[in-house]
Amino acid sequence: MTFLPAFSVQNMDFYYSGVKKTLSNINLEIQPQKVTALIGPSGCGKSTFLRCLNRMNDTIHGTRVDGKILLKGEDIYSPDMDVVTLRQRVGMVFQKPNPFPQSIYDNVAFGPRVMGMDVDLDEVVETSLKRAALWDDVKNDLKADAMGLALGQQQRLCIARVVAVKPEVILMDESTSALDPIATLRVEELIAELKEDYTIVIVTHNMQQAARVSDFTGLFWLGELVEFSVTSDMFTRPKEELTEAYITGRMG
């Protein structure tokens, strides 16, 4: 049996304002139920690339994607692709926790309610909070304001909110950069658990984090994908001189 990659990116270019090319000829395959880390200096295009995977860049006027991005073989930029459905299948956790100013329960139930999912909301909320390693912290206080949670708990709540709509892929854009070391460790442990059921793509400035949590790593540099390989190979036997220079701190 042949398994399709979660994402197949083919000859992809990305433009702002239709003319400013910020990503050039990106080719890679993201494997299902693995963690893929995207590293590189600020402004190299890794977050822009991540937002292409669920068409979040569509919200910026004048952007354009050339080439193909296939999700389980489906072209996500095809006119037939419903963007709302795409973003349910490919959820995103942002750099700064962004819980809604509602109860903990309503945050997690939000997606299933909006999408009209035929589910037991109590069960979905409990399961999602357990998957996000937050249930034991909040199970007796589900009606409390989500904004009152600690920052690390807020980020895990945002992960629970994504999990609640049963995505295939979870994108995480610098999702631990605003957290303290203990909260960061909890999220990293959570990533390791979630990859049993989800494909996960993370953007991180922290190379040690990439080495700890990911199966595959890609290095972006000035809008190009310099190297993409198994993480252990990338950090011990990089193929490109630029990769070695970046990883060892001589550049970037």
Side-chain angles (χ1 to χ4, degrees):
M1 182 181 294
T2 301
F3 291 95
L4 287 171
F7 277 108
S8 177
V9 182
Q10 304 169 5
N11 306 315
M12 193 204 91
D13 299 327
F14 179 81
Y15 299 83
Y16 282 113
S17 302
V19 292
K20 183 183 178 184
K21 185 189 257 191
T22 53
L23 292 172
S24 180
N25 196 33
I26 307 298
N27 290 275
L28 80 162
E29 290 189 344
I30 294 171
Q31 299 305 319
Q33 289 175 257
K34 301 291 183 184
V35 179
T36 297
L38 307 177
I39 63 173
S42 296
C44 67
K46 56 191 186 296
S47 290
T48 296
F49 173 75
L50 192 76
R51 292 194 297 268
C52 289
L53 298 180
N54 69 347
R55 292 182 55 176
M56 195 64 74
N57 288 321
D58 287 14
T59 61
I60 303 170
H61 178 70
T63 58
R64 186 177 99 237
V65 171
D66 292 341
K68 286 191 174 181
I69 301 179
L70 307 180
L71 172 62
K72 301 282 182 68
E74 297 178 68
D75 185 350
I76 69 169
Y77 283 88
S78 161
D80 297 328
M81 175 60 69
D82 179 72
V83 177
V84 174
T85 301
L86 172 67
R87 292 178 186 153
Q88 177 264 316
R89 295 174 65 187
V90 185
M92 178 169 273
V93 181
F94 295 92
Q95 179 174 0
K96 185 178 179 182
N98 61 337
F100 303 138
Q102 301 172 340
S103 70
I104 294 166
Y105 184 100
D106 288 338
N107 264 268
V108 183
F110 180 85
R113 281 173 174 157
V114 167
M115 299 185 69
M117 295 170 65
D118 185 15
V119 293
D120 180 330
L121 281 179
D122 290 349
E123 184 178 318
V124 167
V125 169
E126 179 175 346
T127 300
S128 301
L129 288 168
K130 284 179 175 177
R131 293 310 312 269
L134 191 58
W135 175 251
D136 288 342
D137 293 0
V138 302
K139 62 185 178 184
N140 296 319
D141 215 8
L142 294 176
K143 296 303 179 185
D145 185 352
M147 308 302 287
L149 294 172
L151 209 58
Q153 292 175 317
Q154 288 184 15
Q155 193 65 299
R156 281 183 282 142
L157 178 64
C158 293
I159 293 170
R161 195 171 65 200
V162 168
V163 167
V165 297
K166 299 182 178 178
E168 298 165 35
V169 181
I170 300 175
L171 310 177
M172 306 181 81
D173 190 5
E174 296 277 5
S175 57
T176 62
S177 64
L179 307 183
D180 64 53
I182 294 174
T184 294
L185 179 61
R186 296 290 299 275
V187 173
E188 288 184 3
E189 291 171 343
L190 179 56
I191 289 170
E193 295 169 11
L194 289 173
K195 78 171 184 178
E196 295 178 9
D197 297 301
Y198 306 98
T199 302
I200 299 175
V201 187
I202 68 170
V203 162
T204 179
H205 280 102
N206 186 329
M207 285 184 286
Q208 290 76 23
Q209 182 176 76
R212 284 192 300 266
V213 306
S214 71
D215 302 289
F216 297 89
T217 298
L219 172 65
F220 279 78
W221 192 275
L222 298 178
E224 296 185 356
L225 181 63
V226 173
E227 185 167 346
F228 183 81
S229 68
V230 173
T231 296
S232 57
D233 291 344
M234 173 80 84
F235 283 94
T236 59
R237 299 182 297 278
K239 296 184 179 70
E240 302 295 331
E241 286 185 20
L242 181 56
T243 307
E244 183 173 5
Y246 182 71
I247 287 172
T248 58
R250 290 187 286 117
M251 292 186 68

